[in-house]
Amino acid sequence: MRIFILSFITIGSLCLGNPASLAKEVSFNYDIRPIMSDTCFLCHGPDEGNREADLRFDIREIAIADRDGSAAIVPGDPEESLMIWMINQEDEEDRMPPKKHPRSLMEDEKELFRKWIEQGAKYEKHWSLIPPVAKEPVNVSNPNWIRNSIDKFVLRKLDKEGLSPSEEADRTTLIRRVTFDLTGLPPTLEEIDAFLADASVNAYEKLVDGLLSRIAYAERLTNEWMDVARFSDSHGYSHDFVRDMSPYRDWVIEAFHENMPFDQFVQWQIAGDLLPNATRTQKLATAFNRLHPQNSEGGIVNEEFKVEYAAERVQTLSAAFLGMTIECARCHDHKYDPITQENFYELFSFFNNIDDSGQISVETSDMPAPTLMLPTVDQTKNLAEMDKGIKAQEAEVERIYKNSRSGFTERKLTQGDAMDLSGEDALVAHFPLVSEDTSASIANDLNPSAIGRVIVDSRPLEFFQVNNKEGPELELVPYEGGIGVKVNGDDSLYFQGANFFRRATPFSVGIKAKIPESVNEGTLIHFNVAGILYNYKGWEVSLMDGHWDVRMAHNFPYNAIQLVSIDPVKTEVWQNVHLTYDGSSTAAGLTLYVDGVPVRMRVTRDRLYKNIVSNQERVKKNVGLKVGARWRSKGLPGALVDEVQAFDRKLTSLEVQHISGSEDQAYEDDQGYDFYLNRYHPAYRESLKLLVALRGERNALNETIQEVMVMDELPEPQQAYVLRRGSYAAPIKPVEPRTPDAILSFPENLPENRLGLAHWLTDPKNPLTARVTVNRYWQMIFGRGLVGTPEDFGNQGQLPTHPELLDWLARHFIDSGWDVKEMLKLMVSSASYKQNSKADNKLLEMDPENLLLARGPVKRQSAEMLRDNALTASGLLVRKVGGKSVYPYQPEGLWSLSSGTYTQGTGLDLYRRSLYTVWKRTAPPPTMKNFDAPNRSYCVVKRQHTASPLQALSLMNDPQFVEAARVLAEQVMLTRKGLNERLEIAYRLLTSRVPNEKEMDVLRSLLAELTASFIQKPENSDALLSVGESGYDEDLPKPILAAYTMVVSMIMNHDAAVVLR
Amino acid sequence: MNDFVEKLNYLNRRQFLTKSSLGLGAAALSAFGNPSKLFSSTQYPGTKGILGKPHFAPKAKRVVYLFQSGGPSQFELFDYKPTLDKLHGEELPDSVRKGQRLTGMSTNQSTFPLVRSIYDFQQYGNNGAWVSELMPHTAKIVDELCFIRSMNTDAINHDPAITFFQTGSQLAGRPSIGSWLDYGLGTDNEDLPSFVVMVSKNGSGQALYARLWGNGFLSSRHQGVQFRAGEDPVLYLNPPPGLDDHDRGQIINHLKQLHELQYEALGDPEIHSRIAQYEMAYRMQMSVPEVTDVSDEPESIFELYGEDSRDPGTYAANCLMARRLLEKGVKFVQLYHQGWDQHVNLPEGIKKPAERTDQASAALVMDLKQRGLLDDTLVIWGGEFGRTNYSQGNLTPTNYGRDHHPRCFTLWMAGAGVKPGFSYGETDEFGYNITENPVHVHDFQATLMHILGIDHKRLTYKHQGRRYRLTDVHGHVVKEILA
């Protein structure tokens, strides 16, 4: 524990001069609250559930309240204050904080408490919750040093500490620093030379403006944002299938490139879909809320994970924009900050209103809904043309329908009643269920080779190559209508041959069934592999809550049709059940009949926009028609079934009535006409077929369109509840969308939805969003935030090193219209930033972390920068922007832990910027991981900075770096003459600077050693040069090229290449 | 040569490395025979644990955790239930289930027939521990084992359950056990990672994830390092093809010279960390092949671990590798074997993982024992949850399945700190609920840390304003099983 206390004190002392010096006034915010938070609040803080002795120290009124004649705090009188008494108890058992508390009070901290009470025990609102006010310092020691307002704040602090700023860094260092900081890439030699030669006063400004206008700048900012947005290319749980969300990433690039105001950038991501007349791009931006991990594991409970996802969105919101650890309040009131559990679920309720399914489909190509289709320009055009064609064909169908009455009349006159209502022209499978049937063979009247059978547990046999054919015998039950089969609810009748059901294809199915009173939920007949496991892809006729439930789904619930009967299902009687479908992908195209009468249905979902069968051949082949039970779903145990039929067109109501055994109707009415057209009118039948073909084509094209996860609000918000201990199964009380008053009360005029929330976030009065954002950018530029805990601006977070500067920047950011480029330009243009980063021993000792900014920043390059630096220096880097993620070099077998295989890319894909490298959450790219790239499973606003031997191994041996070294070596050998020039250029390309003589000695010495070695062992150079896909000039002397390669590799590993100074 | 000595003296003078440190130089590089000895004591920052020394005297110095991924069925392995023999095929009584949650995989079944183990049980050892015929080798060593039959967990599905066991939370993002130990205790061998992970190549089934041995919010140097079968046991360990050890040494030596020059110019102590970082990488490059080369193992050892142990990457080979790593002072070796997830076809399906793990697990215990290592090494065998006493899917005379069951399952430990030949905790006659001495995952974690000399409540890391620990806000040391 000691280590934490010490580090706290260090920061404190640097912020405030010397807090232990008790001569001056003790500050509640800077001296007292941090200690209270760390030692008292656990039991005497905001968390009601954990509160001891009914005492809390975070609210003054309670702390000073009389408690049986005395008070915990008596302002002005430490001796009378119970608190002082308790913290000074001799006996460890009696002393506060109690022994079990993770941290105890130090003597000087106790003294601070005493002094503070003596001075009146004044409370202040927590610093980060007071809206920032811009107060620029006026008097500083050295006005000549000042480049912009930032420097005044920095210098004032240095003045206080008796320090002076460092000299400006040399120009090479500067251009390298600023180019990496703003673009993530090194400057080219030409850029360096041009900058060195530019004597104009605004040379640096021109440089910065140029950098900010590059697309590489947008990529750099996007790379940072990807950590915040937890962007990845895979779902994250369990099998962790890969899915492509690159359009969101590319939108972020575009937004930064165009310098979209940050408040708008936030609004679009939080609630773009709710903006008036939301554009496709605004909707796309809301993918931000959907990038959290999602689980396809069979057996999870939907609601559990729906809750998990909504809670995750709150967590991301709070870390990314508010710098608060609001998720602590998921299970109980926050222990340190003024956030109640209710506050958490009020925020939660903003994110709880999408029609998603907690358990996502194991169908690997299914994007978890809600989704947005993103057709390309060409696709849009083609779709529009196809839609036109479909419309025209629908009109044609309609035209024939309107104009063929005469044929009907004529036919009636000539043929009388001789009309075939059996539907036999369309019958494609018929399982009459006869006494000869067994569980291994159920006869098909139409096609003896396409028999049905029983599958145990309803799990398709071939599907998992599981040999579990053993199962109960078919239970044949004679009844007045013949012989039926009693299903057990677990093992379905399976008709693999009946597998023609597609979204554009009209069909009808029929079954006779007697449903026992004992069941009110379960599937009767269906065409799915499974239920939730595949998100109900296919169609089904089921019972739900005693009512008929008809579904047709690509991905239930969002991308699906669902109809529920208004009346309950009749039980204990035989009934003929038919479902007909017209191929229109609409609820109107589905009709459920019972005993020939259409069932009155309520449409609960009507949004089917993708296929209803799997794209995987293996799954598609096995899906088939199933009766009585479904894999891992509820079936209808005890139901009797008979006469299973499938038809390849939509039967007319007359036919359904006939097949159901009802009295045949006369033909005069529209029903008869409808039947006539569908059964006997060649032109009508032809026109329907053509319509099916056109729809089929459109649907096929539709399947190829990029689809992304987005937010789409349900028409009726779902009621959210406070959940006991955060558990989905334990709702306590309903809550409405609201924001924590402690931060900023929700303005009356805002809508109580995500759009209102987005405006609340970016409200100029919100004390956190701007501060948190500028702090993160400060961290990006200076290596450390003004608040060292960018994720926590609360009581347990660190205090700002330069509070007034942070406030000024936040205010300035808001006033500038949330202008990110301007903000970054301001930072990199400050004299503070441009300082030399070198520190003497005194300064190192006094301020090892450079909290005072008496020198310039030092940062190890990020994982992405290291690779991009090597690729740029060697000329391998491919400057293509955006698109699907790519698969550069990676050792084999890493993905086999979960699922999928890593198929390494070829050619240009190997050399894209690192932000485009595919990111599988369960097996991230190892070199990136070694260099502290986060897992991308949750929002990260600050990367770790570690050094490990694995980093050295990566940088020395990862083929990506070895290849880049070889290509760079080849380049200098081909384009430069003489060893010195070659070494110097290679060194410059990687480090931006010219090596000094001593360094050249080292380079030459290694080159000589290695050349000798490779000449001795020529086979070694062959092997080394073969690393990587790109070829090399074989006319070059191989041992020498090999030696140069390894010298270049060494430079890549050199501090001068790796660390930005 | 002189240059090298001079450099060393210079370094020592500057006290950037510890007194006994040896930089890398020409002399060192000429002695590749046993480089790990030569460079063994360079202080690499971060090799010491945050605790400095344990909270109290540890019973174990190192741990090998044989994780049986998928949820091995306690009914077919260790938890003998004669009642199920009698009630085989009968419906699980509601009085036993008590309306508790089942997974989405079997909750929709029409029936929940109880199912007995198709495999026979017998009693073994001095205390008559029941073990099934699937585990003949384990049966022979029961006097070494401490069974916990009353393990229970909060999670009911693989991903959350395994994440919970390995990190103390069902959600991704917390440090794993091995990372906590490295953070707390540091390493006993600076040439090898202190936390090594191996995944059997001859298992298959539920997914595993790098985050199971991830560092979470701790420094990434505490992450587990995966050793893989084959020529590149640690990712990027080997120099590129064509670069021999001598040349690699030369490069590191020259790189160090560049770094020294850089230090002279800039005075940033971080540069010396970089030097140490490269030296340790080099030592790893030397030490890992040494430890992974099993050609010096006698025939009798391969026989002990079983035929598979000759095939690198199998569970058995990994057990043998684990022993070699433990011998070298690696603190935490984590093995994973996938393949215990028998929702259907359990009778056939469970044979494979049993066959592939039984002999080697037992062999590892006995091998450690014969080397005296079991005295200060803790061995753990177990999965993420148990399985149901009812059949998932169709029950036939020869076939059945079992779904996930978090409410009770069996785990065993052996070696340092735990009572040998001991059994703790009881389940009811249905094997559904615990009747005596439940051990929750957090209790298990607390106990594990206790055996290593750590008070689980006092090894914490402050992150996002809160002090986190492996056991979250829970966990009790199970004193009864401690030796």
Side-chain angles (χ1 to χ4, degrees), chain A residues 469-570:
Chain A
K469 286 183 183 147
E470 280 179 74
E473 265 309 302
L474 203 60
E475 196 178 341
L476 296 161
V477 179
Y479 71 110
E480 62 279 10
I483 287 176
V485 164
K486 190 174 193 175
V487 292
N488 65 10
D490 291 329
D491 311 311
S492 62
L493 313 187
Y494 174 49
F495 308 109
Q496 190 176 12
N499 191 352
F500 66 93
F501 306 100
R502 300 294 180 268
R503 182 155 76 101
T505 312
F507 68 84
S508 304
V509 289
I511 185 169
K512 268 180 88 172
K514 183 178 175 185
I515 293 157
E517 207 185 339
S518 55
V519 291
N520 73 345
E521 185 188 338
T523 191
L524 173 63
I525 184 163
H526 67 106
F527 175 74
N528 325 112
V529 176
I532 187 63
L533 206 55
Y534 282 80
N535 283 188
Y536 300 91
K537 189 184 293 298
W539 60 259
E540 68 184 284
V541 177
S542 303
L543 265 69
M544 191 183 66
D545 205 13
H547 289 67
W548 292 110
D549 179 9
V550 172
R551 297 181 189 186
M552 181 174 277
H554 171 76
N555 198 344
F556 190 82
Y558 185 84
N559 189 344
I561 300 167
Q562 184 183 29
L563 304 104
V564 181
S565 70
I566 290 160
D567 301 315
V569 176
K570 279 182 286 182

Side-chain angles (χ1 to χ4, degrees), chain B residues 118-131:
Chain B
I118 202 162
Y119 294 103
D120 287 335
F121 275 73
Q122 277 185 41
Q123 284 179 290
Y124 297 89
N126 295 332
N127 74 340
W130 289 96
V131 179

